[in-house]
Amino acid sequence: MGKLMKREWKRWWKKLVKSLVFEIIFLFALMAVCALNQNELQVYVFRFFGKSTAITAFFGYTSWQGMENMAYYLLFVMMFLNALVIWNACVRTLHIVYMDEKNQTIYSMCNQMYSRQKLAVSKYLWAQISALVSYLILSFALWGAVFIGNHIWEQETDFRLLQLQTGRVMLVMIMMVSLTFLYAVWTKSMNYTKYGYVSFLVLGTFFVGNLYKFRDILFWAMRRAGTATEGIRGMTLWMDKCYWISPLSWLNPEKSFPVQLVIICIAVSTVAFLLGLLGYKRRNL
């Protein structure tokens, strides 16, 4: 198992380091921009929250409370970085599963060296470990940027809040990678159509889960135009429930992360892993 993990590290470490360095530089650059333009940022934020709730909610944040804290701005940007990190983790999982078959390496052709189960477990573990360790390092960088920015602004840093946010992102990431692993082992070798699954899993569910925001903006525009919305509202109440199928929406720092979501992440990840092991045994290597 150790040799299999080392093999994956040699394959992926350059790409992992490059993306991580870019994300860390981006965070600290943003921190510097926010620190240098504190007064201007506060003016823009006050103007933004002076608009309709339907518009402000569309961008994730619904309150200006905490705008003097660096975490307020960096956690907002992290919502977009989280989507990028999870996307990359899922795409990498596809390649990890398909790579041996694509390259026709001896690891996939000689089951005497490693059992199917060991191959599957090593791929799953590497997909998870590479994603989680990379995100943990990125989180350390976030905590450092928040601490430096708050020190400049003479604000206290709530590291417990940052740790909880990191924990919930990692839980969702484990679930998304597990679902991608399940899909990969039950399908044939890699081709460009496979990205369609990741697109739906990451971005498609996010779009569907936020349909109610588009509805609210439409209602706001209709009210300004003097058009009644009662009839349409009753027909679209089901959109409020779509939030639960959007894992990226669960990562909004202004939203709570109830225990039900923790259970969902753990249960889905476990089932996907077990079914993935079963699927890998039936693959044509």
Side-chain angles (χ1 to χ4, degrees):
M1 187 68 70
K3 290 184 178 179
L4 291 173
M5 299 295 287
K6 288 181 180 178
R7 179 175 61 117
E8 297 293 349
W9 164 254
K10 290 180 180 178
R11 285 174 167 176
W12 293 101
W13 75 269
K14 289 184 179 179
K15 291 183 179 180
L16 288 170
V17 171
K18 286 180 181 179
S19 61
L20 190 58
V21 168
F22 169 79
E23 292 158 0
I24 291 174
I25 291 175
F26 179 77
L27 273 180
F28 276 93
L30 182 67
M31 181 274 295
V33 170
C34 291
L36 294 173
N37 298 277
Q38 175 183 356
N39 295 330
E40 292 82 353
L41 275 174
Q42 292 181 2
V43 171
Y44 289 134
V45 170
F46 272 124
R47 288 179 180 176
F48 175 72
F49 284 110
K51 301 183 182 300
S52 169
T53 304
I55 295 177
T56 58
F58 183 80
F59 293 93
Y61 273 23
T62 58
S63 171
W64 56 267
Q65 298 294 331
M67 59 180 289
E68 294 182 352
N69 193 304
M70 180 61 70
Y72 180 89
Y73 301 100
L74 292 185
L75 285 176
F76 176 77
V77 174
M78 280 299 294
M79 288 194 295
F80 300 94
L81 275 182
N82 289 337
L84 176 63
V85 168
I86 292 175
W87 167 276
N88 287 334
C90 291
V91 170
R92 186 166 59 249
T93 301
L94 289 177
H95 286 282
I96 289 170
V97 173
Y98 297 133
M99 186 167 285
D100 285 334
E101 297 161 49
K102 180 180 178 181
N103 297 339
Q104 288 296 300
T105 66
I106 193 170
Y107 290 90
S108 64
M109 292 186 290
C110 298
N111 288 333
Q112 293 85 353
M113 296 180 64
Y114 299 100
S115 66
R116 289 288 187 94
Q117 183 172 335
K118 285 186 177 180
L119 283 172
V121 170
S122 68
K123 291 177 181 294
Y124 178 81
L125 286 179
W126 173 251
Q128 294 288 11
I129 291 173
S130 60
L132 295 176
V133 171
S134 296
Y135 190 78
L136 190 59
I137 295 173
L138 179 62
S139 296
F140 288 148
L142 170 67
W143 303 349
V146 171
F147 176 78
I148 295 172
N150 282 348
H151 179 70
I152 294 172
W153 290 6
E154 298 182 354
Q155 295 286 326
E156 292 186 2
T157 300
D158 188 352
F159 284 109
R160 183 175 180 273
L161 169 66
L162 296 177
Q163 291 167 7
L164 289 174
Q165 179 65 11
T166 297
R168 69 162 74 176
V169 173
M170 294 175 78
L171 269 175
V172 170
M173 186 181 299
I174 289 172
M175 181 182 69
M176 302 287 262
V177 169
S178 298
L179 289 172
T180 305
F181 174 78
L182 174 62
Y183 173 81
V185 297
W186 283 91
T187 54
K188 295 183 179 180
S189 59
M190 185 70 183
N191 60 59
Y192 291 105
T193 61
K194 302 299 181 184
Y195 292 110
Y197 172 81
V198 176
S199 298
F200 175 77
L201 180 65
V202 179
L203 303 179
T205 56
F206 178 73
F207 176 80
V208 174
N210 286 275
L211 282 176
Y212 71 96
K213 293 183 180 179
F214 293 95
R215 177 204 61 189
D216 292 344
I217 290 178
L218 176 62
F219 288 166
W220 169 75
M222 291 174 66
R223 286 193 297 268
R224 287 179 61 90
T227 306
T229 62
E230 286 76 11
I232 303 177
R233 179 177 293 276
M235 298 169 55
T236 58
L237 288 176
W238 59 271
M239 290 183 179
D240 295 331
K241 305 296 183 181
C242 291
Y243 168 82
W244 292 93
I245 65 172
S246 174
L248 289 183
S249 297
W250 306 347
L251 304 181
N252 187 325
E254 286 199 341
K255 299 287 187 179
S256 62
F257 199 83
V259 67
Q260 293 94 320
L261 293 182
V262 176
I263 295 173
I264 289 173
C265 290
I266 295 174
V268 171
S269 300
T270 302
V271 172
F273 170 64
L274 294 177
L275 291 178
L277 288 182
L278 179 64
Y280 202 82
K281 292 179 180 179
R282 59 175 290 279
R283 292 179 68 81
N284 295 321
L285 301 182

